[in-house]
Structure formats: C-alpha cells, structure tokens
Amino acid sequence: MPSEQKMFSKILLSAVSILLANLLHFLFSLMQFIPGLKRSLPSPSKEQTTLPTLQCISPLLKTVEETPQPIPAKVKGHIPEWINGNLLRNGPGRFEFGEEKYNHWFDGMALLHQFQLRNGTVTYRSKFLQSNSYLTNRQHNRIVVSEFGTLAMPDPCKSVFERFMSRFDTPKPSDNASVSYVVYKGDYYVSSENTFMYKVDPETLETKEKVDWSKFIAVNGATAHPHYASDGTTYNMGNSYGKHGTRYNIIEIPPQKSNCSDTLEGAKVLCSIAPMDKMKPSYYHSFGMSENYIIFIEQPIKLNLMRIITSKFRGKPISEGINWEPQHNTRFHVVNKHTGEVLPGQWYSKPFATFHQINAFEDHGCVVLDLCCQDDGKTLATYKLQNMRRSGVDLYQVYNSVARTFPRRFVLPLNMSSDAPVGKNLNPLPYTLAKAVWCTHENLHPEGFENFGGLEFPQINYSQYSGKKYRYFYGCGFRHFIGDSLMKVDVETKNFKIWQEEGFYPSEPVFVPVPNATAEDNGVILSVVISPDENRSAFLLVLDAETFKELGRAEVSVEMPYGFHGIFRTTANFVLCHRRQQQQL
C-alpha cells in the first residue's frame, strides 16, 4: 500500500503541475485584455521570451538626396587599373511626397547610381530619374500616380462627389522605372515591368527619352531582365491583354539601329503562349535562355485581372490583385528562339515561386535550367515598408515568415515520346540528380546553406557563359530582408565561399571579367555595400572572383538606400582615346 500511495502521489503531483502550467499560460494570454493583470503576475523567465533579433535597417529604406556631381571616393586596398567603366545601379530613393508615404519597397521613386572606375580611382554620383511620375508627384507635393503597393488618393481640393467619381477614372500607369538597367541596340535604358522605360546617358545619368513598348509591338510591358545573344540580338518577355485574351509573348529586338534616332524599331513578337487561366495569368520577373531555346516558367503566383482592373474602384493597390495559388503546379514552356516554335512537351513540377534565373544550357538533348526558388510565393506581400522598418523581435518575426530562396537545378528532356511510361525518369545526365518529366529539382547547395539565409540576386560570368555549361555563380545571402553577405557557389562540388562584414549589407554582385580571361572565374566581383550606422561609410567593394578575397574598397560619405539591380559598362575605348590625347599634348 505505501508504494501504491507513493505512485498515486506522483501522478497527482504531475497532474497538478500540468494544470498550473496551463493556467499560467491562460493568464498570460488573458492579461493583454484585463488592465492591471500584467502587473500582478510574475514575469516569464528570460529563456521563455528571448528571440533572435535583427539589426534595424530602416535608415536604408528612407528618402535620400541625390548627388548629381561626381565626388571622389577614398580608396583602401587596391582597385585593379584594368577595371575601366561604370557600375550603374538602380533602385528606390524617395519614399514620400509631402505628407503622403509609399507603402511598399517597390514603390519608391527611381534613383540612378554610378560608380565610375578609371585607372584605380573611383568617383560616385546619383540622380533621380526624371520620370513623369516623379515630376508630377513633386509638382503637387503628394502622391498623384499610383504604384505597385500604393493607391494614390483623390485630389483633396476636389469636392466629395468629384473624389468619389474619380474612382471610375482610368488609372494612369506609372512610368517609375526603378528595377534595373537594360541595353537595346547599344543604348542604355532603365526599366521596371510596365509599358514605359527611359533611355539614359550612362556617363552623366541624364534622363533622355521615354519609350513606350506598346508603340512598337502589341505588348503591355516587358521584364527588366532581358537576355542578350552573342550577335547582339536581345530577347525579352511581356504580356498582352486584348480581344484574343491574355498572352505571354517572347520578344525579339534586333542588334542594330536603322538610324540614329532608332529605339525599338524592328522589335517583333517571336511567339505567344496562352496561360492556363486567361483571367489569372502568372506573374513572372525573368525567364531562362540557352543557346537555342527560351524557357518560360509559368508559376502559381497569379495576376487576378478582375481584381486588378477594379482595384482603384475598390480602393486597393494593384498588389492586392496578386495571389499565391499553390493548388496549381509550376509548368515549364520551351520555345525555339530561332523559329518561335513552342515545343509540344509538357514539363511540370510541384508548385514553387521564382524571381531570378541563374543560367540555362543544353546537354544531350536536354535543357538544364538553374533557378533561385521558393516553396512559398507570398513574399511580395511581405516586403511592405512597415514590415521592413520594424525593429527588435517584431522585425525578426516578420522576416522569419518569409520563405527562403535556394538555388535549384531542373532538367527538361526535349525529345520525349508520347508513350513514355508515367513516372519514368527521362534525365540522361549523369552529373545531376534532377529528375524529368515530372520535374524534381536538384539542390545546387550543400546542407547547412539555410544558415546563410539562402541566396538571391544571382549573377554569372554572363558575357562568356550565358546559355552555356558553367561552374560558378554568385549572389547575396539573405539572413535579413536585404542581402547581408556575398556568396560564390560551385555547381559541381556544391561548395561555396562567402564574404560578409558585420553591420554591412552588400548589393547584387556584378561579375567583370579580366581582359582576355581564360578561366571562368578570372575577374572581379563589384558590389555596393551600405550600413544603417551613420558613422560607417558606404563603399564599392572589389573582390577577386576566384579567391573571393577583398582586393579593395572605395568609400563615399553619402547616404544610399538599398537598391535592386545593376550593370557594368566597360569604357576601354574611352581610356585609350584619353591616353592618345595626353600623348598628343
């Protein structure tokens, strides 16, 4: 009996402990609704409440002044003298007009940046793009033109009736080209994903000419990530919405100008692809291109056209019409870029989201496609400024809700038989574990890669290896809302190298090859690195692309917001002419 009483006492004690624990949890949940209760309860232990925190990056998401005249940078270390050209970058730089503020990171007005490298010296300048949206908003000192995540409010000077009726006005499309630089026929443009882009002077950053895609071909915009063939022909993608319904269009732009004022003359739609749902086409930010094929990824991030069309009437921004619908699989479309033929094969994978492709190449009758992928496509909604500007535990909790992005490989066999057994792996390539036709990816990273936040903003040695079998790619590690490290990944060994510095945030890496390079990674990586600490200068970082060791940096005491994409423009001819002029003097 004593032993039974002892056992009964233990059971009773355990039951009481569980009951008290649940009661305490209930009281802590209740205390936010009952004034004074919080003060009367014991504080939870430190172990129970401590969560990881992230550095507040709000200073990197605020309006800054432009720097229109070039200023010299302070060089530390060594900037190789063979690097002669301009690193051109684009991104948001103004987040409010008057008392009205933008809601989303993508909404800020385009600020153009230039780091000019000449014989080991560096200068910096920046200018706001003189778009109609920027000039109109500035003139009225309020947000007049709606953006992706911000709906412009009616003119407060109008009557109540006029403001109500303005909801039925046709919305004015924004021409805020804040995503990247692109090149068509040797001219430099800044672009986003809408109908308009602007030609700019890459030497002075002067805004030159507004160009409307719809004036040349039947599309309602194009991506900010075109691909360039070796002969200078440029390929892009854009949607069209007309009497035949929605179409995804492959666009081809010739390499040569017909005259000095030529912009997009000669552009043509190579082929059109019907979406799975005409009223809900997929959103896409980029696409893949190998030597002979265009690869389009139709993903389950859907544009609800009815919600977008009625967004102004409903008092909602365009972003509210974009949804992640994982009940749909991801589909790959392959197009012969020489003939415009859409290959009849059907390639599917489980649902995933992708914004940036890494590279694509052909091997033994297959297209190998490398992408940066997420398993959840709700990221766009999370990048609201109110989320990114949080601090402490709140910032960490929002960041932790964002799906990480990882590099993955897919294999698409081009010559499929209609009687191929269902479920059979048709991938003949021995060096990759990716499976086809139901496409199962291969990870292009080792275990533990998630500790660095995954990878985004991928870049390769584009001029020499785009569309070809390659070994290395570069990108940003994302242990924050924005990149906090630079990474080099070997796709053969899955090993990677990393550059990081506490409290600093590097931009998308840009690869610049050494003249007459013989190795794929024979060159440098350029990245603009900024810090929210006002006592730390921003700088242009130069890494040896092979060793991933720092060669030098060029510091400038200028505030810069975190931006999106950029391009390097080599000016070797400028240097040669300059030296000849000096010799003549």
Side-chain angles (χ1 to χ4, degrees), residues 295-337:
I295 307 96
F296 167 58
I297 302 96
E298 189 173 11
Q299 60 187 350
I301 300 179
K302 299 292 187 176
L303 305 176
N304 188 321
L305 296 185
M306 185 57 65
R307 294 184 65 183
I308 291 174
I309 292 169
T310 61
S311 60
K312 185 177 181 180
F313 172 74
R314 295 184 297 108
K316 301 291 185 180
I318 292 174
S319 59
E320 297 293 324
I322 301 178
N323 302 312
W324 169 244
E325 300 187 0
Q327 66 270 27
H328 303 290
N329 292 320
T330 296
R331 182 178 180 182
F332 303 88
H333 300 270
V334 181
V335 178
N336 186 316
K337 73 180 188 182

Side-chain angles (χ1 to χ4, degrees), residues 94 96-101 137-138 140-143:
R94 183 162 180 172
E96 69 279 315
F97 286 92
E99 297 300 316
E100 298 183 6
K101 305 180 189 303
N137 293 337
R138 190 177 66 174
H140 291 83
N141 197 33
R142 66 182 184 88
I143 297 173

Side-chain angles (χ1 to χ4, degrees), residues 457-478:
F457 291 159
Q459 290 285 322
I460 63 169
N461 181 345
Y462 191 93
S463 62
Q464 297 179 39
Y465 286 87
S466 175
K468 302 175 183 178
K469 192 174 181 179
Y470 73 114
R471 183 166 181 176
Y472 304 109
F473 67 89
Y474 313 87
C476 287
F478 272 74

Side-chain angles (χ1 to χ4, degrees), residues 2-16:
S3 60
E4 292 178 354
Q5 289 178 344
K6 188 174 183 182
M7 183 180 297
F8 176 79
S9 299
K10 287 184 176 181
I11 294 173
L12 183 61
L13 183 61
S14 298
V16 171

Side-chain angles (χ1 to χ4, degrees), residues 193-415:
E193 296 175 341
N194 55 39
T195 307
F196 308 106
M197 59 182 182
Y198 278 89
K199 183 187 293 186
V200 296
D201 186 326
E203 290 296 322
T204 66
L205 301 185
E206 180 185 357
T207 303
K208 304 289 288 184
E209 180 181 357
K210 182 176 180 177
V211 177
D212 183 346
W213 276 100
S214 65
K215 301 295 184 184
F216 299 91
I217 51 176
V219 297
N220 298 97
T223 80
H225 293 290
H227 279 291
Y228 309 99
S230 56
D231 66 352
T233 302
T234 307
Y235 296 88
N236 208 335
M237 286 195 64
N239 283 2
S240 59
Y241 310 99
K243 61 181 180 180
H244 300 297
T246 305
R247 290 289 188 273
Y248 309 120
N249 302 291
I250 311 293
I251 306 166
E252 180 183 277
I253 300 94
Q256 301 291 334
K257 288 185 177 183
S258 58
N259 56 67
C260 61
S261 61
D262 188 344
T263 54
L264 296 177
E265 281 79 5
K268 66 178 182 179
V269 172
L270 192 62
C271 82
S272 296
I273 301 170
M276 290 187 284
D277 185 339
K278 292 183 179 181
M279 288 306 293
K280 287 185 178 182
S282 291
Y283 168 79
Y284 56 93
H285 187 70
S286 67
F287 59 98
M289 187 176 85
S290 65
E291 184 178 357
N292 296 296
Y293 299 98
I294 300 289
I295 307 96
F296 167 58
I297 302 96
E298 189 173 11
Q299 60 187 350
I301 300 179
K302 299 292 187 176
L303 305 176
N304 188 321
L305 296 185
M306 185 57 65
R307 294 184 65 183
I308 291 174
I309 292 169
T310 61
S311 60
K312 185 177 181 180
F313 172 74
R314 295 184 297 108
K316 301 291 185 180
I318 292 174
S319 59
E320 297 293 324
I322 301 178
N323 302 312
W324 169 244
E325 300 187 0
Q327 66 270 27
H328 303 290
N329 292 320
T330 296
R331 182 178 180 182
F332 303 88
H333 300 270
V334 181
V335 178
N336 186 316
K337 73 180 188 182
H338 306 296
T339 66
E341 175 195 5
V342 181
L343 272 60
Q346 295 188 12
W347 301 268
Y348 292 90
S349 82
K350 69 176 186 178
F352 70 83
T354 180
F355 295 96
H356 300 108
Q357 62 88 37
I358 303 171
N359 199 11
F361 60 91
E362 299 156 35
D363 194 5
H364 288 81
C366 298
V367 167
V368 180
L369 177 65
D370 295 345
L371 306 168
C372 287
C373 303
Q374 298 175 335
D375 290 326
D376 188 316
K378 297 192 288 287
T379 301
L380 289 175
T382 312
Y383 275 81
K384 294 178 179 178
L385 289 168
Q386 66 177 14
N387 290 333
M388 300 178 70
R389 288 169 173 165
R390 293 175 187 248
S391 60
V393 172
D394 288 344
L395 176 62
Y396 175 79
Q397 289 177 333
V398 177
Y399 162 76
N400 206 39
S401 70
V402 179
R404 304 295 178 263
T405 306
F406 295 101
R408 295 173 178 172
R409 170 164 290 179
F410 295 87
V411 174
L412 313 178
L414 301 179
N415 301 310

Side-chain angles (χ1 to χ4, degrees), residues 167-181:
R167 289 194 173 197
F168 300 92
D169 294 341
T170 303
K172 297 178 181 178
S174 173
D175 60 354
N176 178 37
S178 62
V179 175
S180 189
Y181 278 83

